[in-house]
Amino acid sequence: MILKRHLALLAVVAFLLPASAQEGRRTRPIEIVAHQGLHGNGVPGNTVEAIAAAYSNGWMAVETDFWRLKDGSFACMHDPKSGARLRKPYRIPNLDEVLACVPTNGVLQCEIKGGYGEAYATEFMAAVKRAGLGPRQITVSGN
């Protein structure tokens, strides 16, 4: 497996996932999670390119960050200043674009940043269900 210099790794203990999240995918005692996808060499984290690259290179799980925008949509970015740091052709993806990257045996760990409460989490999970991800989705509130 290729390890990129700027790739941060997180360990997630597989038994912490509900049994339904483990169905239909390979399980190990410890899962290695690609933090913000497989980024480096000019590819920024939390982009469709980094997330898709992680899955296509064999990563089973990817951690991402989401912020709620004024229009009610969710943007995949580490912080509100992320867009100013991106260079073309990369851009900040929305929630639906990120969810479309997740393979049938993949796990997406999402950190909802900004402490927006239950209503935001409910809307976020509704988008997850529309994408058909169901129990494989792990959501974590940042605040």
Side-chain angles (χ1 to χ4, degrees), residues 4-132:
K4 300 277 184 170
R5 188 174 75 161
H6 298 289
L7 180 67
L9 300 177
L10 299 174
V12 175
V13 180
F15 68 81
L16 292 177
L17 297 174
S20 59
Q22 297 180 22
E23 293 174 11
R25 69 178 184 88
R26 184 175 45 165
T27 59
R28 306 175 270 218
I30 295 180
E31 292 267 333
I32 304 299
V33 178
H35 182 253
Q36 298 179 5
L38 189 59
H39 56 92
N41 295 328
V43 177
N46 276 330
T47 59
V48 167
E49 293 82 0
I51 295 163
Y55 291 121
S56 67
N57 280 282
W59 294 88
M60 296 302 294
V62 174
E63 181 274 342
T64 57
D65 305 295
F66 284 92
W67 286 80
R68 175 77 185 249
L69 302 179
K70 289 180 182 178
D71 68 1
S73 64
F74 288 93
C76 184
M77 58 185 169
H78 183 265
D79 59 67
K81 296 180 182 178
S82 295
R85 294 188 297 265
L86 283 179
R87 302 287 183 255
K88 289 183 180 181
Y90 305 104
R91 63 180 184 75
I92 295 173
N94 64 40
L95 177 58
D96 292 331
E97 292 169 323
V98 171
L99 294 176
C101 293
V102 182
T104 57
N105 64 342
V107 173
L108 185 67
Q109 179 181 0
C110 302
E111 183 172 342
I112 303 173
K113 297 197 170 207
Y116 295 114
E118 187 175 339
Y120 286 69
T122 300
E123 291 175 29
F124 187 90
M125 290 310 295
V128 169
K129 287 180 183 177
R130 283 193 306 273

